[in-house]
Amino acid sequence: KAGVTQTPRYLIKTRGQQVTLSCSPISGHRSVSWYQQTPGQGLQFLFEYFSETQRNKGNFPGRFSGRQFSNSRSEMNVSTLELGDSALYLCASSLDTGVGSPLHFGNGTRLTVT
Amino acid sequence: SQQGEEDPQALSIQEGENATMNCSYKTSINNLQWYRQNSGRGLVHLILIRSNEREKHSGRLRVTLDTSKKSSSLLITASRAADTASYFCATATWGGGATNKLIFGTGTLLAVQP
């Protein structure tokens, strides 16, 4: 089985721009979660989608949004980028919603905002 | 916000030695998970231990959970250079629906010297 695929691997954007990151989960997994990882804040939960519905949301501003498609693929969007948005963005999929199943992570998208 | 605090923050050992990492958390949990992250890549799930379990093994890994002390430990026996990575505990709490959360700790950076 193919693992979780995230594209692009690296991204450089300018303050004020917007960005869209993509995640393809493991086949058969219906839950997709997004995390932001920075040296200062560590791993912070962004949101979780299950069957195209947002099931859970972390404490991030409304500039961070996401969606999930009928094939379980997910995208997250960050608008009006700030320097502090520079981070590794990780997507993870699991069989079920909630936290009873292990998460399978992609290798992330490294976003640099200049 | 971080639920788990890991100790030590960094650990350096020689190949063949055992490595022990500890995780303390603050609130009641349903399960606790350990993940490994190689530099700049995604996290890999290692072990999930439920709140009613006290110990679990997987190959060279041994995890204990003490819910009365709100702590867990990960033991890696006979370490190898390939074990060099950051190790994270993640606590899972759910009360149904939108309160399901998997919160990651601060991580322990393990360096195994050949």
Side-chain angles (χ1 to χ4, degrees), chain A residues 45-48 54-62 64, chain B residues 98 101:
Chain A
F45 171 75
L46 281 156
F47 25 67
E48 181 203 0
Q54 187 179 87
R55 296 299 297 264
N56 202 351
K57 190 175 190 303
N59 296 323
F60 278 81
F64 291 81
Chain B
K101 286 188 186 296

Side-chain angles (χ1 to χ4, degrees), chain B residues 1-112:
Chain B
S1 62
Q2 312 268 243
Q3 155 86 302
E5 292 283 333
E6 276 144 276
D7 170 57
Q9 285 188 315
L11 181 60
S12 181
I13 59 174
Q14 298 292 318
E15 252 188 337
E17 293 180 337
N18 295 342
T20 299
M21 288 157 265
N22 303 296
C23 170
S24 59
Y25 55 92
K26 298 170 187 171
T27 63
S28 296
I29 61 171
N30 291 91
N31 69 61
L32 186 144
Q33 304 176 31
W34 285 90
Y35 289 80
R36 183 189 76 228
Q37 184 179 33
N38 290 91
S39 181
R41 301 183 73 82
L43 283 77
V44 174
H45 179 262
L46 297 175
I47 288 186
L48 182 155
I49 185 166
R50 293 184 169 77
S51 60
N52 60 354
E53 297 175 311
R54 291 296 166 257
E55 189 170 310
K56 212 159 181 181
H57 297 255
S58 176
R60 294 183 296 113
L61 307 180
R62 173 179 167 249
V63 167
T64 61
L65 178 64
D66 187 334
T67 53
S68 66
K69 294 181 179 177
K70 292 188 169 57
S71 68
S72 174
S73 68
L74 169 67
L75 168 67
I76 304 174
T77 60
S79 63
R80 305 166 182 167
D83 295 328
T84 295
S86 291
Y87 291 82
F88 295 89
C89 68
T91 51
T93 59
W94 65 83
T99 62
N100 296 350
K101 286 188 186 296
L102 185 66
I103 301 176
F104 283 84
T106 50
T108 292
L109 178 59
L110 173 65
V112 182

